Amino acid sequence: MKLLRVDMTTLQTRWEIVPEIYQQFGGRALIARLLLEEIPAACDALGPHNKLIVAPGLLGGAGVTTAGRLSVGGKSPLTGGVKEANAGGIGGDTLGKMGIKAIVVEGQPEQGQFHLLHIQGDAAELLPAEDVRGLGTYATSEKLQERYGADAMVISIGQAGEFLMRGAGIAVTGEREQRSNHAARGGLGAVMGSKGLKAVVIEKPVGKSVSFADVELFRNASRAFAQKLIADPKLGAQGGQHLYGTSSIVGAVNEMGSLPTRNFSSGSFEQAATLRGEHLREAILAREGNIGTRCMPGCVIACRNQYVDESGMPIVGTLQYETIGLVGSNLGLGNLDDVARLNFMCNDFGLDTIETGAALGVAIEAGLAEFGNVESIIALLNQVSEGTILGRMLGNGVVTTGQVMGIRRVPAALGQAMPAYDPRSLKGNGVTYATSPQGADHTAGNAFGARNEVNPLGIQGQKELSLKLQIIAAMLDSTGLCLFARPPIIANPQLMVDMLNGIYGWGWTKDDYDRANRDVLRTELEFNRRAGITKEDYRIPEYMREEPLAPHNAIFDVPDSELDSVFDTL
Ligand code: SF4
């Protein structure tokens, strides 16, 4: 495999053989290791010493169902620590098939210059990007696919990334109508913007495939994995994940009192019924939109949808739970059409819907718009693409918005907005938000799925649960596996060990695999330590420890001593 170095200072590109120290790493694990080895941890995240890394997981390109996620990483301008965000789509599959372990973007051009990285086979060059500069992510990918072919894969930033907004994410094209997948979290779009990189275009690899050390071992394990997913009652053709997508959990999160509502001031929303997965499915089918679509080829779960308006015109593909929580109930909006419009705007500007929904909630609390009044919220959000001072405040995320507007109730940990689970009534997630080296990020260890094992309102068992989930998340993000496909691997880790040994011939045991997953967290924690992040920086905000959350009157009361000892057994 090879690694592509892209120097934005000299505008040169260079292929290199993957150094020995990186060979057994993929996705998030590779990002953590490379950042620790190659960048000064205390550097300016938007300066020339940070690096933007694009990397498929270890299974990328091998044809394993749901395993084509693409990781993007760097030092986060929001958290000040290590960041990995990943997106569905065709990125992981494309890079894996081409034998590209990572694209490492380094240096910085003169201010104001934007380029496009074009890769075709072994040729990689930087080209001027003036004709797509200032465009949103949809128009950027459309224009580049017109030029390079509909099969070309496009990774791009919108106006938010160009303006170096800390709430900016990175868009990745996917299968058919799933045009907009986002490595949304942590401000990595701003890192890409700081490199003067508007987009990466990779032309479809022809006749390229992964080589296998033991193809029989690999095939047996990958087939067994796919069959387990198909047979899973929650994930297969009759499962909630396929029928309703991630929005299948709106009702359950609302009932447990953890659905962010009006800037995290309540855990249940009186209009939750019209945001539920069942309602979303009915609305889409009645309008002849699509349900059960997939973001990458070969996914057997197919959890996505294409949300359309009343005339059947696509608004977004896909409308997801986190977005429904943060730009729906959190803004007092109970109409999915309103949520879809805001989702489209965020996708197009290249903004994380979680960070932006949280920032809008704080801005509304400060009186800049009205909860439940979508037109007032759209007027506010439009300022992001216009680059006004107010727009830049919002685009820089929830902490900046709270500071500028003098609001104390800011739902964030380690500088990053909380996803759509209030930690007061889902305390396992609170422990993850307050300890993960990735900051407040549900994908780093989401306790929602374990709510029947550990009482979400209690303290007992949360520490152990969060650690277990954080290790699993590190595995998923390093192999490129979709979060929703984890049950068969958790039940039988040997399946993953066999798939990896089948591709790479490492002869790993389950212990080697477990060590590798734990090492991801160790490496990330070490990077953050070197960056100067202390235990206190990770804490849940004070108001969530004191302000009871309806309907359970819950506060976040997991003691600091518990939080500080989460990694004692790592
Ligand atoms: S389950 Fe959904 S998000 Fe995961 S790979 Fe399949 S379509 Fe994409």
Side-chain angles (χ1 to χ4, degrees), residues 129 331 359 495 543 555 557 565:
L331 307 184
L495 284 176
Y543 82 92
I555 56 168
D557 52 2
S565 56

Side-chain angles (χ1 to χ4, degrees), residues 66 69 293-296 299 301-304 482 484:
T66 76
R69 291 188 75 84
T293 57
R294 46 183 66 84
C295 69
M296 61 181 74
C299 169
I301 302 174
C303 77
R304 300 290 189 107
C482 176
F484 310 127

Side-chain angles (χ1 to χ4, degrees), residues 62 95 128 175 192 207 223 302 385 422 431 451 480 482 501 510 566:
L95 288 179
E175 275 257 281
M192 189 159 159
R223 275 190 196 138
S385 67
D422 195 303
V431 175
R451 65 194 183 286
C482 176
N501 285 337
K510 275 197 281 188
V566 163

Side-chain angles (χ1 to χ4, degrees), residues 62-96:
V64 178
T65 183
T66 76
R69 291 188 75 84
L70 183 68
S71 289
V72 184
K75 176 171 174 171
S76 164
L78 267 183
T79 70
V82 65
K83 192 68 208 167
E84 182 267 357
N86 56 68
I90 57 173
D93 191 56
T94 303
L95 288 179

